[in-house]
Amino acid sequence: MAEQNSLPVSFDALRCFQQTFGGSADPVWLIRDRRFVDCNQAAVLALGYRSREELLNVHPARLSPAVQEDGQSSLLKAERMMHQAEEQGVLCFEWIHQRADGQRFLAEVSLFRVEQMGERTLLCTWRDLSASRLRDQQLQTLLEEQRLIFDSAHVGILMLRHRRILRCNHRFAEMFGYAMPEELVGFSTSRFYPSAEAFARIGAEGYASLAENGSTSFECEMTRADGESIWVIQSGRALAPEDVLGGISVWVYTDVTRFKQVDRQARRLEEKFTRAFDCCPLAAAISNISDGRFLEVNSSYERNFGWTRADLIGRTSLEVGFWPDSATRDAWLQAIYRAGRLVNYETIWIHKSGERRHVSLSCEIIELDGESWILTYMTDITARKLWEADLRIAATAFESQEPTLVTDANGVILRVNQAYIDNTGYSAAELVGKTPAVLRSGRHEPAFYAAMWRQIMRDGSWRGEVWDRRKNGEIYPKWLTISAVKDEQGTVTHYVGVHHDITERKAAEERINALAFYDQLTGLPNRTLLRDRLQQAMAGSERDASYGALLFIDLDNFKTLNDTQGHEQGDQLLKIVAGRLREVIRETDTAARQGGDEFVVVISGLGDETVAALAAEHVAEKLLAVLAQPYVLGTLVHRSSASIGVTLFLGPCFSSDELMKQADLAMYKAKAAGRNVVRFFDPAMEAAVHVRANLERDLRTALDEGQFLLHFQPQVRSDASISGAEILLRWQHPSRGMVSPADFIPLAEETDLIVPIGYWVIESACCLLVEWAANSAWQHLTLAVNVSARQFDQPDFVERVLGIIERSGAPARRLKLELTESIMAGDVDAIIGKMRRLGAVGVGFSLDDFGTGYSSLSYLKLLPLDQLKIDQSFVRDVLTDANDAAIARTVVALAGSLGLEVIAEGVETAEQRDFLAASGCYNYQGYFFSRPLPLAAFRDFLPSRLAVAEAVGV
């Protein structure tokens, strides 16, 4: 439907509507600040949700697929429509919605701008167009059938207005001696009468009868194009009885010239027979009600069922063999007796050839000469039945605009849609009759396809990432879903394959990985990837019982070069340094840029401690030598040196962060020794192990004695209102004081103490939510709880959480679980299953520290997430580091394309908040708003924040 302009709706009209919309049968919404703030029960039911609360405070695009029928992003298009409605006052358009169960449907949406207490509000109503579209399709089919009947009828047919021809069929043109019907369009019918007087007289009588009865039929003499007289029976019906001449009327002309010499009575019988039978495109018959003996049939019997009039007159339908058996006819007769008439009674008839046909019978008992007969009209619906079977396939295969193919039960391609042709480069003719094996890329082993078909045979479907080959030879990735189509008996008749080309998504994933894991200046791994490589090296060291080494490199006097020659020269030097590091180390080792002029090298497989120390020293000396060579920076030849700190490791005796600290300390010792030297770190292993053992013992005591505390860091919207808080764990040690989470959380993870601690935090959160639910100022707040991958992987995790919610009575929709990307390393289907079970009761999910892990975008879109959280490592330097700024913008755009909310953590300045808001991120947490607070302090913080929100007009 085209977008329309209209006048704004007044607030009084809205207020009147608000008083009644709760009981309206039509879905109604109120939108403010691009969020649904109210809706009636009809909207909840129409979208298949359990409660109204599930639909509030969400962007309208969340109730739609990611992309509309025209290929536009639902989010961007929704923003444009709402903006246009706010500008114009009223806007109507068509929109694809999505119900809670994923079913899509077309709706007509109307947006009205209203002013409510000084705030701009949009009133939204919509009407489901799915049934209307189906009716339109059915009407189109009916019109096509009528056109075929019109053009193929053996009688002449005219459509007239003011006795001028609007349309006529081939039979009429032929009847009056014209080659084509188009020759007659627009002409008066006066040319077909022998005189103007006859034209006027017959018209006056015929249209008078039309006006009185709505239809007419009479015999008259007319003239052909060659002047020859012709006698016809004209049968007319007015489509607008109130204006028979000015409105459209339909006239049927039957040539009865050769019957003019027949007796008048015989002619009247012939006219009745012609109107009742020969003018009917359906097979028609009059048969005796008692034994089914045929009195009369029309010629359509022979066209439709092969039986001629001579075959049938005087014989019964059972004698002829129409019915499969007498029981079938008896059931039909009983239905007629009960109702007196039947419409569209479906049964099986037998063609003269012996073929079984599906037919639809419309029957009525009539009286002729005091005897009861059955008038029956028969329609062969065999083709329609076959079409319905095709429709079941089409409904599965072509309900989306994604590239789709349909195969038979043996995997032979029967059809492909246009999207599939466009995507693969093959034409339909090149694919039909073959199997999808013609598209295989060669990247997958036979075992891959065998496992795929085992799952299809077991579950009826399969989905996953596949690499295929286009006609031009290009190999590309796609997300493929294969579904089995079964008949009413459960037998597989077809397979439907729908795929989505994820080439761009893969490229985006690579770009995000490059931004997240590689330094954009030097191309070396950044701190995030370095941490992972170091952890892999530590694990390999433990497995192989072979030492590794960590080298921390700092360029000497680099700041002087930047200050005197400029950052461009400094950047050029850093690129050269990166290249020299690559030349020295092995391919199995890692060189990374830590930041600024600091670089780190990780070396593995060095043997025992003595050999490892010598090998690490040898590599460090080679690095000093190569880094001391002159640097040609344009016209400038610069000389520099480096200081290197080295620490050895064997397995995970220390954390990666501790190893970095050790190497960093050794590097400073090298600088203190005069620069351009190598220094080793003395690990003091016994002291470190002793400290760790004591900390683990105290950690277990802390859990038993309740030494853990909860702090709350507010989560703030762009309008200064508080949406909730993230719960942060603190440890109040009786002698150490407040222990940093960075010191005890990793240890809790390693010892599995994180599992009971995690359940204690969730239970504490639920108890608070129950308390807050009774306070109008607090009941809207959500609590976000961090869940470790180790805890989430527990087999009974879902049952434990559901039990806590049930026992506490907490509102589950106010509980949000924050997961890290490390969970993606597990069984993705099991992860999705757990999330959906918890999401079914209202629990929300946020993906924490997004961008620092290895999550696949293909799997990310499958996770039932509500929110992405931008990691503080990207937010910290978002104003000074172009890479971090690009990552932040990319995450916001990705969240928008997936229909997810996005929140940034670590916001410490107003400038960071403003940058994020300009990038489309409207939810924040960080020191700029508040540090993590104890519960009492958080309670005191909320009223002051509410005052701020009110001051800015929230």
Side-chain angles (χ1 to χ4, degrees):
M1 180 177 294
E3 299 160 7
Q4 304 174 3
N5 293 323
S6 183
L7 295 175
V9 178
S10 70
F11 175 74
D12 289 340
L14 175 60
R15 181 172 59 188
C16 178
F17 176 78
Q18 287 176 325
Q19 293 172 352
T20 59
F21 88 117
S24 172
D26 293 324
V28 183
W29 305 83
L30 290 179
I31 302 173
R32 188 179 301 128
D33 295 331
R34 302 297 192 264
R35 293 290 187 274
F36 288 125
V37 297
D38 202 358
C39 69
N40 65 357
Q41 187 62 23
V44 177
L45 295 176
L47 289 171
Y49 284 85
R50 297 179 299 276
S51 65
R52 170 177 166 271
E53 283 75 14
E54 292 180 272
L55 300 176
L56 300 185
N57 199 29
V58 299
H59 194 280
R62 283 286 305 278
L63 304 181
S64 312
V67 178
Q68 290 293 305
E69 279 187 328
D70 56 6
Q72 298 187 52
S73 163
S74 292
L75 177 63
L76 298 179
K77 187 171 182 180
E79 289 287 339
R80 191 175 72 255
M81 295 295 100
M82 289 187 285
H83 176 75
Q84 190 171 345
E86 289 172 344
E87 293 294 323
Q88 299 176 188
V90 176
L91 184 67
C92 295
F93 53 92
E94 291 185 358
W95 190 264
I96 296 295
H97 280 294
Q98 184 167 301
R99 295 187 171 91
D101 60 2
Q103 180 184 0
R104 300 179 181 181
F105 65 98
L106 180 68
E108 180 186 60
V109 178
S110 299
L111 295 177
F112 304 88
R113 185 190 67 221
V114 298
E115 297 293 332
Q116 185 175 13
M117 298 179 68
E119 291 185 337
R120 177 168 291 182
T121 303
L122 289 177
L123 173 66
C124 173
T125 67
W126 50 264
R127 179 170 60 89
D128 191 336
L129 295 179
S130 303
S132 175
R133 279 291 175 89
L134 180 60
R135 288 195 300 273
D136 290 347
Q137 294 172 358
Q138 293 173 339
L139 179 59
Q140 183 63 35
T141 301
L142 179 60
L143 290 175
E144 182 65 18
E145 292 176 353
Q146 293 299 321
R147 185 188 67 78
L148 292 173
I149 293 172
F150 183 85
D151 290 337
S152 305
H154 67 282
V155 294
I157 305 175
L158 285 184
M159 296 180 65
L160 304 178
R161 178 184 284 126
H162 291 297
R163 304 190 75 182
R164 288 190 174 274
I165 299 173
L166 300 177
R167 187 180 176 190
C168 70
N169 68 350
H170 286 279
R171 176 55 182 149
F172 183 88
E174 177 187 41
M175 186 183 299
F176 286 89
Y178 293 89
M180 298 297 292
E182 291 77 8
E183 297 180 51
L184 299 174
V185 173
F187 287 98
S188 170
T189 55
S190 60
R191 61 169 52 193
F192 306 122
Y193 290 86
S195 65
E197 178 186 359
F199 172 74
R201 174 179 55 78
I202 294 173
E205 295 174 355
Y207 280 91
S209 177
L210 275 184
E212 180 178 357
N213 304 314
S215 63
T216 187
S217 180
F218 53 86
E219 182 183 285
C220 67
E221 182 181 12
M222 304 186 78
T223 305
R224 289 170 46 87
D226 57 6
E228 181 183 349
S229 293
I230 180 175
W231 282 88
V232 299
I233 296 176
Q234 292 191 40
S235 299
R237 181 174 294 277
L239 300 186
E242 68 279 4
D243 185 8
V244 295
L245 187 61
I248 297 176
S249 56
V250 179
W251 296 83
V252 177
Y253 294 77
T254 304
D255 186 350
V256 296
T257 305
R258 61 193 178 111
F259 302 115
K260 282 301 293 178
Q261 292 77 25
V262 181
D263 179 79
R264 180 69 62 181
Q265 181 63 30
R267 189 167 62 248
R268 284 199 298 269
L269 292 174
E270 185 68 16
E271 290 172 1
K272 181 188 295 185
F273 178 80
T274 301
R275 287 196 301 271
F277 290 87
D278 285 340
C279 291
C280 179
L282 307 178
I286 300 175
S287 58
N288 191 283
I289 196 170
S290 59
D291 58 6
R293 195 172 304 279
F294 287 103
L295 173 66
E296 193 57 85
V297 299
N298 68 357
S299 57
S300 293
Y301 257 79
E302 183 174 359
R303 290 195 301 270
N304 293 339
F305 302 107
W307 302 99
T308 66
R309 185 169 181 271
D311 294 330
L312 301 176
I313 299 299
R315 302 176 66 191
T316 70
S317 56
L318 287 174
E319 289 174 352
V320 174
F322 267 158
W323 298 98
D325 49 59
S326 60
T328 305
R329 182 179 185 274
D330 290 343
W332 168 65
L333 280 176
Q334 292 300 321
I336 296 176
Y337 284 132
R338 285 194 301 269
R341 63 192 304 269
L342 292 178
V343 177
N344 297 329
Y345 180 91
E346 294 187 7
T347 185
I348 298 294
W349 271 28
I350 309 300
H351 191 276
K352 187 175 182 179
S353 65
E355 180 184 357
R356 295 169 69 90
R357 295 287 184 90
H358 292 272
V359 295
S360 174
L361 307 179
S362 294
C363 318
E364 186 167 358
I365 298 176
I366 61 174
E367 295 291 330
L368 294 177
D369 299 326
E371 190 173 355
S372 295
W373 300 81
I374 301 177
L375 173 62
T376 306
Y377 292 90
M378 280 96 5
T379 305
D380 189 341
I381 60 172
T382 305
R384 193 194 80 191
K385 287 292 186 180
L386 295 174
W387 173 80
E388 288 174 351
D390 286 342
L391 186 61
R392 287 195 299 271
I393 301 170
T396 304
F398 294 95
E399 63 185 4
S400 72
Q401 295 301 312
E402 301 288 2
T404 305
L405 65 78
V406 181
T407 75
D408 63 15
N410 297 316
V412 177
I413 299 174
L414 300 178
R415 65 182 66 180
V416 294
N417 66 359
Q418 187 61 43
Y420 200 94
I421 294 169
D422 296 340
N423 186 258
T424 64
Y426 286 97
S427 68
E430 292 172 315
L431 293 174
V432 172
K434 299 180 175 64
T435 70
V438 301
L439 304 169
R440 290 184 178 178
S441 64
R443 286 197 177 190
H444 301 292
E445 297 295 331
F448 172 83
Y449 297 104
M452 172 196 296
W453 282 104
R454 281 197 301 270
Q455 182 173 336
I456 295 172
M457 295 298 101
R458 183 183 70 246
D459 303 333
S461 65
W462 179 91
R463 63 182 181 182
E465 190 175 295
V466 173
W467 289 83
D468 267 356
R469 187 187 304 272
R470 305 189 206 274
K471 183 180 179 181
N472 62 9
E474 177 189 355
I475 296 176
Y476 68 105
K478 65 185 184 182
W479 185 261
L480 174 63
T481 300
I482 301 176
S483 302
V485 180
K486 300 180 179 180
D487 59 19
E488 296 176 354
Q489 287 72 42
T491 303
V492 174
T493 59
H494 302 81
Y495 292 101
V496 177
V498 180
H499 78 251
H500 178 67
D501 191 333
I502 58 174
T503 303
E504 294 184 3
R505 181 171 290 126
K506 281 287 187 181
E509 183 177 359
E510 292 174 359
R511 289 194 296 270
I512 289 178
N513 286 340
L515 289 172
F517 304 123
Y518 289 90
D519 177 63
Q520 299 303 296
L521 176 64
T522 64
L524 294 177
N526 62 12
R527 287 173 295 180
T528 302
L529 185 53
L530 169 63
R531 185 183 301 114
D532 178 75
R533 294 277 181 87
L534 178 56
Q535 290 172 347
Q536 292 182 28
M538 293 164 65
S541 170
E542 180 181 38
R543 182 178 60 251
D544 302 333
S546 178
Y547 273 83
L550 178 67
L551 284 65
F552 199 109
I553 305 168
D554 185 86
L555 302 182
D556 297 331
N557 301 316
F558 178 74
K559 185 176 184 299
T560 302
L561 174 66
N562 263 347
D563 293 342
T564 58
Q565 301 298 326
H567 289 280
E568 184 176 345
Q569 298 283 36
D571 289 348
Q572 184 63 27
L573 183 140
L574 294 175
K575 293 179 182 179
I576 297 174
V577 168
R580 293 180 180 181
L581 294 180
R582 293 191 189 96
E583 292 175 357
V584 172
I585 67 173
R586 301 170 300 181
E587 290 185 0
T588 56
D589 299 330
T590 296
R593 185 185 178 198
Q594 176 73 359
D597 62 338
E598 296 177 340
F599 295 84
V600 175
V601 171
V602 179
I603 308 174
S604 303
L606 298 181
D608 62 32
E609 185 174 13
T610 301
V611 174
L614 292 173
E617 184 178 25
H618 176 67
V619 173
E621 293 292 348
K622 287 179 64 176
L623 290 173
L624 286 181
V626 75
L627 295 178
Q629 295 177 6
Y631 296 85
V632 180
L633 308 175
T635 59
L636 173 69
V637 177
H638 176 74
R639 293 185 178 275
S640 181
S641 62
S643 299
I644 301 179
V646 181
T647 186
L648 301 179
F649 59 85
L650 180 63
C653 293
F654 298 96
S655 69
S656 58
D657 290 340
E658 184 62 29
L659 287 177
M660 293 293 293
K661 292 177 184 177
Q662 293 175 3
D664 190 26
L665 180 59
M667 182 272 294
Y668 277 108
K669 289 182 179 179
K671 283 190 176 294
R675 295 186 173 87
N676 197 30
V677 295
V678 179
R679 288 292 181 268
F680 277 77
F681 175 78
D682 180 7
M685 291 296 294
E686 289 183 1
V689 170
H690 179 71
V691 170
R692 184 184 185 280
N694 289 340
L695 187 63
E696 180 179 346
R697 183 189 67 245
D698 290 351
L699 189 61
R700 295 183 184 278
T701 302
L703 181 61
D704 295 336
E705 297 182 356
Q707 296 175 7
F708 292 113
L709 304 174
L710 298 181
H711 282 199
F712 302 79
Q713 185 167 37
Q715 295 182 333
V716 183
R717 303 187 185 97
S718 59
D719 59 7
S721 63
I722 296 179
S723 61
E726 178 182 359
I727 294 181
L728 301 172
L729 189 64
R730 297 291 184 263
W731 180 12
Q732 182 66 52
H733 192 280
S735 59
R736 298 171 185 258
M738 192 69 74
V739 182
S740 170
D743 293 333
F744 73 84
I745 291 294
L747 183 58
E749 290 274 4
E750 294 173 16
T751 59
D752 277 345
L753 287 172
I754 195 66
V755 175
I757 293 174
Y759 287 129
W760 175 79
V761 176
I762 293 174
E763 189 156 7
S764 300
C766 287
C767 291
L768 282 174
L769 289 173
V770 171
E771 177 186 338
W772 293 355
N775 187 328
S776 60
W778 294 74
Q779 60 186 6
H780 69 285
L781 299 180
T782 61
L783 280 179
V785 177
N786 290 284
V787 176
S788 73
R790 192 177 296 272
Q791 181 182 8
F792 191 84
D793 286 341
Q794 297 297 308
D796 61 346
F797 175 75
V798 174
E799 287 72 19
R800 291 284 297 273
V801 174
L802 292 177
I804 291 172
I805 293 173
E806 183 177 359
R807 287 194 306 273
S808 64
R813 65 182 180 278
R814 300 300 179 194
L815 178 63
K816 180 167 59 181
L817 301 183
E818 292 198 359
L819 309 176
T820 61
E821 293 187 56
S822 59
I823 69 164
M824 302 286 283
D827 185 343
V828 175
D829 289 336
I831 292 168
I832 293 173
K834 289 182 178 181
M835 294 175 69
R836 284 180 175 166
R837 288 179 61 192
L838 290 172
V841 300
V843 176
F845 289 94
S846 176
L847 191 59
D848 196 6
D849 301 336
F850 181 71
T852 64
Y854 299 92
S855 61
S856 166
L857 297 184
S858 299
Y859 289 115
L860 181 60
K861 78 169 190 174
L862 298 177
L863 296 179
L865 292 168
D866 302 282
Q867 184 184 76
L868 293 183
K869 178 175 275 192
I870 304 176
D871 185 63
Q872 60 182 343
S873 63
F874 302 132
V875 175
R876 181 185 305 113
D877 299 323
V878 75
L879 301 176
T880 58
D881 191 320
N883 295 329
D884 288 346
I887 291 174
R889 292 193 188 98
T890 302
V891 172
V892 173
L894 179 63
S897 68
L898 295 175
L900 302 178
E901 184 183 73
V902 65
I903 184 172
E905 64 178 353
V907 179
E908 297 183 352
T909 67
E911 291 77 13
Q912 291 172 342
R913 178 203 58 193
D914 294 342
F915 172 86
L916 291 166
S919 301
C921 176
Y922 307 116
N923 298 277
Y924 326 99
Q925 85 182 66
Y927 284 6
F928 176 69
F929 305 98
S930 173
R931 291 176 176 272
L933 302 171
L935 180 58
F938 181 71
R939 293 182 189 275
D940 296 337
F941 176 79
L942 182 60
S944 63
R945 232 23 231 187
L946 290 174
V948 172
E950 292 175 357
V952 297
V954 178

